[in-house]
Amino acid sequence: MNIVVIGTSYVGLVQGACLARLGHSVLCVDIDESKVARLREGVVPFFEPDLEEIVRSEMQAGRLSFTSKITEAVMIQPAVIFLAVGTPQSENGAADLQYLKAAARDIVAAVQSTALVVIKSTVPPGTSKKVKEWLGSDFEVASNPEFLREGKAVSDFFNPDRIVIGTTSDRAEQLLRDVYSGIFTQVFVMSPESAELTKYAANTFLASRLSLINEVANIADHVGANIKDVEAALGADPRIGNQFLRAGAGFGGSCFPKDVLALDHAAREHGYAPKLIAPIMEVNLGQTELFLQKIYNRFDNIEGRKFSVWGLAFNAGTDDVRESPALRIIEKLLERGAELCVFDPYAMASGRLVLGDKVTFAPSMMDALIGTDALLVLTEWEEFLYAPWNTIAELLSERVIFDGKNFLPHKDLRDVGFEVFGIGLN
Ligand code: UDX
């Protein structure tokens, strides 16, 4: 099938490259000419496991190409056009739909109305209707939200838990079933509004789980319980399940914080004031503060104190630092006059864009430790787990580790003589 994907950030590029791997002919469109030029050379502008290999091999096979001109889409006569442009958070918390509107305008000017327009971007319920108004009545519009995790996006694309199709049209449903015919999973067909709400609800649900387990971890800190033991026993109940149950210093990323606020905003716009949604983000921000408090309690004077930081990315497997708790923690320590030496295996360039010269960027995780008092571990990269702790004990002037992800082997570290702080670990 001939397919156009508009937008080549995380969602659009994974969608385009993986659809090509399924055998479709895919043209990816992005208004950013320099990005398109790099993609044409097979360079993916961010780190996502396996993606660059797929982009290169699919380009070589002639199934994947890139352009900055939507008018080129006319030439391939697409059966389906996926809209995968950004829907950033606007000042009042609502999703900003300006890029979606611009893309719709481009489509009307360039493409035949026989193409099915599918919204892949995360959008508030009711957006499919708006896009149809922008496009005009000749176009059919469907919703098909994505559920990809950064760092695992390619594997999530090929092994999804479900595909959600939001349409009331048999033709649109059949086209989307054909698009994904190489993927074996459950397909849920529903109205566009339900599909759009499913996406927001999924992220809000997951974020609420994290805030709830973080609250339990904070209680564990006060009552002397161990959150790891609690997580294991809680997760054994199939009604609760053991995924997304790891407490830490707060969650981040480009989706959860934005989508939780956008759902709250969308509900209020439609006349319903949710009671449970806003506190999810309050707890999340408070979680970072509670973690910082552990550092302030251990070192009463932060001014001039030197800390090494391992991990900048909001999640292991990505170089994305958007809304990363690591950056929130770093900024707060800098405000109090700390000196920081940071390392991340993949997110150094993106970290540098945000932090500039406010911190020192170390060439390796071991270099980051030199001359520092204590270590903060803020992203769950596997290499941090298997660090040479005996050597590290000699490098840190005080043997103190703050584990913002509760993932280090705390008992082993204590055996080597470290003082280790996590969240709710007693
Ligand atoms: C999320 C959704 O999982 C995905 O389905 C949706 O399409 C986009 O938003 P993403 O934000 O990329 O994906 O990553 P995810 O793996 O969900 O992690 C989000 C945050 O939660 C990270 O900061 C992560 O470290 C944190 N997290 C996750 C925890 O703190 N504890 C956990 O148990 C799991």
Side-chain angles (χ1 to χ4, degrees), residues 122 146-152 156 162 199 202-203 206 210 213-214 243-256 259 314-316 325 380 405:
T122 300
E146 53 81 24
F147 301 98
L148 310 173
R149 289 165 296 177
E150 286 183 27
K152 297 194 177 81
D156 283 350
R162 75 297 210 191
K199 170 63 201 257
N203 277 357
L206 291 169
L210 295 181
I213 197 68
N214 283 338
Q243 293 192 44
F244 260 74
L245 211 53
R246 285 172 287 117
F251 59 79
S254 65
C255 296
F256 284 176
D259 295 349
F314 84 94
N315 217 358
E380 274 164 298
K405 288 289 177 184

Side-chain angles (χ1 to χ4, degrees), residues 408-418 420:
L408 296 175
H410 286 216
K411 187 181 170 308
D412 298 350
L413 293 175
R414 289 201 176 99
D415 290 347
V416 185
F418 283 105
V420 197

